[in-house]
Amino acid sequence: MTSPLDPSEILTAVRAGDTGRLSALLAPLDRAQRRVLLAGLKELRAELRASRWDRWQERTLVSPALLVAGAACQTGAAAAASWIGGRDMRRSRRTPGRELVEVLADRDPQWLGDLAHRLAARPSTAEEDYPLIAELVRRAGCPMPTNDGCVEGWATAVWSEKGTLTDALRGDPHLAAFAPRLFETPEPVTSLARYNDPAAHHHWPGALARLAAEGRLDRDVLLGACVARLLRGGTLLQLKPYRSVLEALHPTAEEEQKRTPDWIALTADAPSPVAGHAQEVLARLAAAGQVAPARLAEMSAAVFFRPEKKLVRAQLVLLRKVLAREPAAASVLLPVLGEVFGHPDTDVQERALKLAAAHLGDDEAARAELADRARLLSPVHRAEAVALFGADAAPEEGTGPYQEILPPPPLPTPLAPTPESIDETVELVVAVVTSPAESVEAFERALDGLVRHAHRDRAALAAALRPALADRYWLDPVHRRYYTSELPGLEHVAAAVLDARPSGPEPEALASWRSDCHHSDASEARHARLAEAARRITTGRPLPFLLAIPTRSNGALDPHVLVARLAEYARVGAAPGPVDFAQALLRVRRDASASPDATALGTPEGLRLAAWLDGAGRPATVTRDSSRAGRHVLETGERPVVVTEFPVAFRALGQARKTAERCWDGGDPETLIALLPEDRDTLAAWSLPAVTSCAADDERGGTGILPGLAAAGPAGTAGPALHLAVATGLGARHAGDRLRAVDALLTLAGRGELDPVRLGADLTELLDLGTLKPSRLADALRTAAATGAYATTWAVLAGVLPTLLTGSADPRGAGELLETAAECAERSRAVAEPPAGLDATAARPGRSRLVTQAARLRGALHRNREAPATAAE
């Protein structure tokens, strides 16, 4: 008869983390006793789950033993897999596999196999559980599961064995099952991408190739899996290990010819190095006469559609060789050259045109087809196209004045009204508090909603807000003592509504940790506004509503609306919050037409508003102080009213300052613009170091503020600092940063605020300093032109070209800039004298890109001067 179970000894061993004793302690228990023990283990697990962070060491100690004991008490494989897979009991990456196998050793093989497959089906833990799964499979004698997690776990296991990877794979019983799966996982298995040196002992491509040569792996299966994975696509980094396997296998000509359709597909869509490899394979096959002309034409059409000039030129060379060897293929291959006539590189156009001229002969059908496509050729090739295809092949010329097409500039939208009900306010507050990236509109509406409803009925607001924010740490009496009173963002005000202020030590003074970057000043001003609203709530004197709530999504505040708000304050006898009113002044549109109404209020705030609108609120002046090491230093002047009359938290925003050499503090651009929406040149000056770091260093994201600055403020106020910041951003290292600068340029142009002469001068200076690289600038301006802004882009480039052609700027990339300038001059039919140095550059010997594009630009300007009636002024 079974003795009654006393689980205390087992639970004591579990709490002590004594995993090694569990097998002996659990072995005598029958199913009913294990069921009783499991209840106690579940209670312990729940206790550990609910424990605070200060018990982390206990959780780390207990979890492995708890995992083993609980698995041993489960009767079903599904329940055991669920228990073993619990993330809360995995305090380290190591699973106690040996101990688990010991306590489960008495289960029948079918049960163990079921457990192995269930563990393999858990994506989050299958990789780290692979050793356990493999042992369960061995004991069960069942097939090995090959889920993605198991593939990763298997690859790591064999790769980590001593000796060479080849030897480890030779001795692995699951090689045939797992090797093809290496090419089917969504991401490359981790070890496959390591050790790129073929001589390394753990080099996967070399090991797979050797095993295929030995016959241990099916070579054709490996080749097919590798090519199929390349066809699935991905980034160059993702595809690199599979390309390495393909190269290590050294496919024979027969194997390559068998996969001709796959190589053609890769030339169309794969990343450039992979497409180049496929192109080389097809070139070898074509040289051996193993690619039919129709297939080659299909391949050429795909390659000619790609932007990489190297691939397009290589394809033209391939066609030239095939046509020289097989003249009869001209009728099939020549029509595809029409795809090249629209290529942006005029040198590529010229190569295609010459190839057509050499092999066209008397084929009138091909001539007619190419003549229709020849309209896409650049005007620089017009005479040659007409001579080859006839007058109908000339590109169409505009017959009227050039019309600039600019993208419409973004317009700030009216801010939605503050929620009227408490429930809507609470919903919005929760969304803002839990969102990683709050919008200015959502934040302002939520803040105003808290203030308004705290004034109307704080108790009702608190009753609705408390359960909605029940998971916040500052509502927990235990956690509250670990934190200061400086809660982040909107939570500061929400905690005041709930009277749940943290009770930890007061924080150090803000000045002790702040940097000299403007983001610190902006954060201090923003927090002061929140602190004022919270303080008024906790002292029982909540504001009726906020004066500084913007009327536009970019933070701008209509002055007539502010006058009406001040009038309502006067009517109800409320005193404005000094910080709230200071923020309102910095946001208000400086429209003097609202000044008489503000004066008529007769209140101190009304008089201050009137003075602000009449000139006291004018923005700080921005001057260039110096430039050093490729970086401009700007200085913003003092704003006396802000320094002397504003609350302390705002005074730093009005002090004279030089831009910091580096901008270390991050900040949301939208929030920063909403702080000073009328002072965008000041913000541009403060943001210039971050923008410069994107151009001169390898930083990212510094240009994020530029599109918003270009769209902010009243029309006509784009100053020198904003132009300089945009100019610097156009030369950013990363394409995403350049694109944001292009957006800002087009927004300024669309608003009629862009000064192309100023921008061109800034670009010239930055090129001379070495801050900008011509190739990056060319990419940015080419993107701007492609939107239809050809005249705008030409106007900017006209001031830059003399420096490139005669100055000290880095000449690398000058050909790309000249190409963009020539394209813009042709499209906009610009009438201008050739920039200094253009004629001399075009007359140089050779066929470099610089010389070719200089001749193209000179020809375009000459043609435009000959037809002034159709040129843009």
Side-chain angles (χ1 to χ4, degrees):
M1 184 173 180
T2 304
S3 60
L5 170 68
D6 179 9
S8 60
E9 184 178 3
I10 298 177
L11 288 174
T12 299
V14 171
R15 285 188 177 276
D18 195 353
T19 311
R21 292 180 55 211
L22 290 178
S23 179
L25 291 172
L26 291 165
L29 303 185
D30 61 19
R31 177 174 293 188
Q33 291 172 324
R34 294 188 184 217
R35 191 159 49 245
V36 173
L37 177 60
L38 182 60
L41 294 173
K42 287 182 176 179
E43 290 180 4
L44 176 57
R45 183 179 182 182
E47 176 190 334
L48 293 177
R49 273 179 171 174
S51 63
R52 303 297 180 185
W53 63 269
D54 51 350
R55 292 178 63 185
W56 68 270
Q57 289 178 311
E58 179 185 356
R59 289 197 298 270
T60 301
L61 174 69
V62 174
S63 292
L66 180 60
L67 188 149
V68 171
C73 292
Q74 304 289 346
T75 57
S82 177
W83 183 274
I84 295 171
R87 300 300 301 182
D88 59 304
M89 292 184 291
R90 292 170 177 258
R91 297 296 166 181
S92 65
R93 295 287 293 177
R94 190 187 74 83
T95 304
R98 180 178 58 81
E99 294 85 352
L100 280 169
V101 170
E102 287 179 0
V103 299
L104 298 174
D106 59 339
R107 308 298 174 97
D108 68 59
Q110 185 177 355
W111 191 95
L112 294 176
D114 188 12
L115 175 61
H117 280 263
R118 290 180 182 277
L119 290 174
R122 300 178 68 87
S124 61
T125 56
E127 177 186 345
E128 59 193 82
D129 285 348
Y130 174 77
L132 171 62
I133 294 169
E135 179 60 21
L136 292 173
V137 166
R138 187 187 69 79
R139 289 173 177 255
C142 66
M144 169 62 76
T146 57
N147 311 67
D148 290 343
C150 281
V151 175
E152 183 75 53
W154 169 78
T156 301
V158 295
W159 185 80
S160 302
E161 289 186 18
K162 294 181 179 180
T164 67
L165 178 60
T166 304
D167 290 339
L169 290 172
R170 282 195 190 105
D172 190 89
H174 307 298
L175 173 64
F178 276 120
R181 289 283 290 121
L182 289 170
F183 304 92
E184 297 172 359
T185 55
E187 296 288 333
V189 298
T190 304
S191 59
L192 186 63
R194 294 179 179 169
Y195 288 106
N196 293 325
D197 181 5
H201 291 318
H202 287 73
H203 185 245
W204 271 101
L208 292 174
R210 282 188 286 274
L211 293 172
E214 295 171 7
R216 296 175 184 271
L217 290 174
D218 189 314
R219 176 181 174 85
D220 193 61
V221 169
L222 277 186
L223 275 172
C226 193
V227 173
R229 182 59 186 86
L230 293 174
L231 286 168
R232 275 173 51 194
T235 65
L236 180 59
L237 192 61
Q238 290 172 327
L239 298 183
K240 185 176 181 180
Y242 307 114
R243 183 186 169 197
S244 297
V245 174
L246 179 65
E247 293 173 347
L249 289 170
H250 297 295
T252 64
E254 182 180 354
E255 289 171 331
E256 290 179 336
Q257 195 274 334
K258 177 182 176 181
R259 293 176 172 81
T260 298
D262 295 332
W263 307 126
I264 292 175
L266 289 173
T267 60
D269 299 317
S272 187
V274 179
H277 175 81
Q279 188 181 47
E280 291 172 3
V281 171
L282 289 166
R284 288 197 298 270
L285 294 174
Q290 295 179 330
V291 181
R295 285 284 198 183
L296 193 56
E298 176 190 353
M299 170 200 176
S300 299
V303 173
F304 290 155
F305 193 71
R306 296 184 64 114
E308 299 96 332
K309 297 171 187 176
K310 180 179 179 180
L311 293 178
V312 175
R313 289 171 180 165
Q315 193 66 20
L316 289 172
V317 171
L318 174 58
L319 290 183
R320 178 172 56 79
K321 291 180 179 179
V322 171
L323 287 170
R325 188 174 61 251
E326 303 178 47
S331 60
V332 178
L333 296 179
L334 287 182
V336 80
L337 292 175
E339 300 292 334
V340 191
F341 290 171
H343 196 279
D345 189 337
T346 55
D347 180 60
V348 170
Q349 293 180 11
E350 183 178 0
R351 294 183 187 208
L353 199 58
K354 288 182 176 179
L355 183 59
H359 297 278
L360 192 57
D362 298 328
D363 191 337
E364 294 302 322
R367 187 186 303 276
E369 190 169 348
L370 288 175
D372 183 61
R373 301 286 292 175
R375 295 177 179 275
L376 300 174
L377 288 164
S378 168
V380 72
H381 300 309
R382 181 176 301 131
E384 190 176 355
V386 170
L388 182 60
F389 303 119
D392 291 340
E396 294 183 1
E397 290 286 338
T399 57
Y402 170 74
Q403 295 287 328
E404 180 80 293
I405 301 174
L406 292 171
L411 298 175
T413 57
L415 207 71
T418 299
E420 284 295 329
S421 71
I422 288 179
D423 288 343
E424 289 177 298
T425 297
V426 170
E427 183 179 352
L428 185 57
V429 168
V430 172
V432 171
V433 166
T434 58
S435 173
E438 63 189 33
S439 69
V440 167
E441 178 171 358
F443 173 82
E444 294 290 343
R445 293 177 62 230
L447 176 60
D448 193 38
L450 285 176
V451 170
R452 286 176 184 264
H453 290 292
H455 180 267
R456 296 173 187 172
D457 191 344
R458 178 182 172 185
L461 175 61
L465 194 60
R466 188 176 298 277
L469 297 177
D471 62 337
R472 309 313 290 176
Y473 65 82
W474 41 266
L475 278 175
D476 186 324
V478 176
H479 279 63
R480 191 183 304 166
R481 61 190 173 88
Y482 294 110
Y483 297 92
T484 73
S485 60
E486 300 297 327
L487 288 175
L490 202 62
E491 293 180 75
H492 197 81
V493 182
V497 172
L498 298 175
D499 199 21
R501 290 161 295 178
S503 54
E506 286 297 317
E508 298 179 4
L510 190 62
S512 65
W513 56 262
R514 61 177 297 156
S515 72
D516 61 353
C517 172
H518 64 284
H519 286 113
S520 291
D521 301 330
S523 296
E524 182 179 4
R526 187 173 190 255
H527 182 73
R529 186 164 168 243
L530 293 165
E532 179 183 75
R535 187 169 55 253
R536 292 291 293 263
I537 291 172
T538 55
T539 58
R541 299 179 297 109
L543 298 167
F545 55 85
L546 293 177
L547 296 171
I549 298 299
T551 54
R552 294 284 173 176
S553 57
N554 63 357
L557 173 57
D558 187 290
H560 298 283
V561 172
L562 181 54
V563 170
R565 290 175 182 173
L566 288 173
E568 180 63 16
Y569 260 66
R571 188 188 70 79
V572 300
V579 176
D580 183 37
F581 181 61
Q583 176 63 88
L585 289 180
L586 292 176
R587 283 179 170 170
V588 72
R589 300 291 296 269
R590 289 187 286 268
D591 181 358
S593 66
S595 179
D597 291 339
T599 302
L601 292 175
T603 63
E605 289 76 21
L607 296 176
R608 285 183 63 190
L609 174 59
W612 184 268
L613 297 176
D614 286 336
R618 60 183 174 274
T621 57
V622 180
T623 56
R624 295 194 188 189
D625 183 69
S626 62
S627 61
R628 60 176 182 270
R631 300 176 188 272
H632 281 285
V633 178
L634 303 183
E635 183 171 0
T636 54
E638 184 180 81
R639 302 181 73 177
V641 174
V642 175
V643 172
T644 59
E645 299 180 14
F646 274 44
V648 173
F650 283 84
R651 290 177 185 173
L653 298 174
Q655 293 173 350
R657 77 163 77 214
K658 289 184 179 180
T659 53
E661 184 172 347
R662 289 289 191 275
C663 189
W664 299 115
D665 293 333
D668 174 47
E670 184 182 358
T671 300
L672 188 61
I673 293 172
L675 176 71
L676 296 167
E678 295 295 288
D679 302 320
R680 55 181 176 164
D681 218 44
T682 298
L683 291 177
W686 292 348
S687 302
L688 184 61
V691 178
T692 303
S693 291
C694 290
D697 306 319
D698 194 22
E699 298 295 327
R700 293 177 183 264
T703 64
I705 196 171
L706 296 180
L709 285 181
T717 61
L722 182 52
H723 276 79
L724 179 59
V726 171
T728 306
L730 291 173
R733 176 170 184 172
H734 299 287
D737 285 309
R738 292 197 297 272
L739 187 58
R740 286 186 281 270
V742 170
D743 286 343
L745 183 153
L746 295 174
T747 296
L748 292 176
R751 286 166 54 114
E753 298 180 301
L754 182 69
D755 184 343
V757 175
R758 180 192 295 274
L759 187 64
D762 287 336
L763 291 171
T764 297
E765 189 172 352
L766 291 166
L767 287 168
D768 277 334
L769 285 172
T771 308
L772 302 189
K773 296 185 182 301
S775 57
R776 298 176 188 171
L777 177 60
D779 176 75
L781 293 180
R782 183 166 54 247
T783 302
T787 66
Y790 294 106
T792 297
T793 307
W794 164 253
V796 172
L797 275 170
V800 177
L801 295 180
T803 293
L804 287 175
L805 299 172
T806 63
S808 58
D810 185 350
R812 291 173 294 181
E816 297 177 48
L817 270 175
L818 274 172
E819 182 178 24
T820 302
E823 175 79 7
C824 291
E826 290 170 351
R827 297 269 191 162
S828 66
R829 301 190 289 279
V831 177
E833 291 297 321
L838 181 64
D839 290 336
T841 303
R844 292 180 188 174
R847 293 286 298 165
S848 69
R849 187 180 212 176
L850 179 66
V851 173
T852 300
Q853 296 303 322
R856 177 188 174 189
L857 176 58
R858 182 179 61 177
L861 294 176
H862 176 73
R863 290 192 301 273
N864 294 341
R865 287 197 305 273
E866 289 184 341
T870 61
E873 292 298 327

